[in-house]
Amino acid sequence: MSVFYAVAAACSFGTLAIAVTRGLRNNSLMTALLVSLPVGACVTGIFTLFDMPSQVSVRAVGIFVAAGIIGEGIGRTSFLAAVSRLGPSIATPIQTATYPALALLGGVVLFSESVTGWRILGAASIAGGIWALVGKESSSGAPSSGRWRKGWRWAYLLPVAGGIAFAASDLIRKQGVIETPHPAFGAVVGTVAMMVVWTVAVVSVPRIRAHVSFAHGWQWFLLAGLLAGFGVLSVFKALEAGDVSVVGPIIMAQPLVVVLLSALFLRGLEILTRRIVTGAVLTVLGVILVSLSSG
């Protein structure tokens, strides 16, 4: 069952990127956040009702709130902005590779961990994949949906920031789970906290409020919220039922889902080149090698 849940998580997060891309065609990033966050909270909240914690410490709630602000705030916002700027087939592999790449580098530099042949091969594969994704395309097409502007290269920092934020959020949430062992409850608390922050920002800041509109296609964000909720629950179930060394690489293979779905559903919004496909495959392969070598 762990493999089933891991595949479900990868498919959920991969499809989420496609749904967001469709919705952002005529809507803003703020609209995507205000619609998807409550829907995701409802999904995880419904499942949490059947397994409510008997005791909740104030410290655990505070930790979950902090994790939500970092993960759902910085992480989710950075990822959606990256999808808008770069396209899902580029943003997803870079974000997916960020955490294992930093973990590998930090382990070697800070803790003098051994450098095995598999780790070297995995790091080389990640580097090659990222190089393919961020490199210049030929004149036959640009690797995005037409949103490119002068100075666009800074946008590659967005999926990196998203990956770091999600990883930091997981580490923080793990501390809360030690005191209140209900990760789904923690996810709900964090999401609701971020919803409150964004609502206050929209109400009190006219510039942010001006970006909130519900144009054609905003309904895609409803699907994105559902997928985010089911994806989080699937991750929890996969980790609960199986080993991280088994389910982790499967969940991290979501860029392959994105590439496949992009070819099917984003033909008019994203130019899927051979270089992007190669970069995604190399990145996923590198992530899997690094994950397995660390097990």
Side-chain angles (χ1 to χ4, degrees):
M1 288 299 292
S2 62
V3 173
F4 170 79
Y5 286 122
V7 172
C11 291
S12 295
F13 290 132
T15 310
L16 181 154
I18 304 301
V20 165
T21 303
R22 300 286 299 190
L24 288 174
R25 184 177 185 181
N26 298 307
N27 294 276
S28 68
L29 172 62
M30 186 55 59
T31 302
L33 291 168
L34 291 179
V35 174
S36 63
L37 284 176
V39 175
C42 287
V43 173
T44 52
I46 291 173
F47 283 87
T48 303
L49 290 177
F50 295 97
D51 187 27
M52 285 291 293
S54 57
Q55 292 183 339
V56 179
S57 69
V58 176
R59 183 172 184 271
V61 172
I63 291 174
F64 290 144
V65 169
I69 291 176
I70 294 174
E72 296 298 336
I74 300 174
R76 181 75 65 90
T77 304
S78 297
F79 176 66
L80 295 184
V83 168
S84 176
R85 291 276 182 172
L86 304 172
S89 298
I90 293 179
T92 306
I94 294 177
Q95 177 182 287
T96 304
T98 298
Y99 178 68
L102 290 178
L104 173 63
L105 180 62
V108 173
V109 175
L110 299 177
F111 303 106
S112 301
E113 294 182 355
S114 60
V115 181
T116 64
W118 289 114
R119 288 189 175 187
I120 295 175
L121 185 60
S125 184
I126 290 175
I130 299 300
W131 178 83
L133 290 169
V134 304
K136 278 189 175 182
E137 292 290 335
S138 64
S139 59
S140 60
S144 79
S145 56
R147 296 183 178 88
W148 298 94
R149 301 173 182 173
K150 186 177 180 180
W152 53 263
R153 286 187 179 275
W154 67 268
Y156 286 114
L157 296 176
L158 291 171
V160 174
I164 294 174
F166 282 129
S169 175
D170 289 342
L171 293 175
I172 294 173
R173 186 180 292 120
K174 185 179 295 185
Q175 296 300 314
V177 171
I178 293 176
E179 296 192 24
T180 303
H182 289 76
F185 172 77
V188 173
V189 171
T191 302
V192 171
M194 201 58 233
M195 286 167 48
V196 173
V197 171
W198 282 128
T199 301
V200 171
V202 169
V203 172
S204 58
V205 182
R207 179 175 294 183
I208 296 179
R209 188 165 60 249
H211 288 285
V212 179
S213 62
F214 294 87
H216 176 72
W218 69 269
Q219 296 88 346
W220 285 102
F221 301 139
L222 296 174
L223 176 60
L226 288 172
L227 291 167
F230 283 117
V232 169
L233 291 172
S234 297
V235 170
F236 291 154
K237 285 292 185 180
L239 294 175
E240 182 181 356
D243 297 331
V244 176
S245 61
V246 175
V247 302
I250 297 175
I251 296 173
M252 293 176 185
Q254 58 187 274
L256 301 182
V257 178
V258 172
V259 169
L260 175 61
L261 294 180
S262 294
L264 295 175
F265 300 109
L266 297 181
R267 293 182 181 180
L269 297 178
E270 185 180 44
I271 300 176
L272 196 62
T273 65
R274 183 179 299 176
R275 185 165 190 164
I276 292 177
V277 174
T278 302
V281 172
L282 286 174
T283 303
V284 170
L285 177 61
V287 167
I288 292 175
L289 290 174
V290 171
S291 300
L292 292 178
S293 67
S294 301

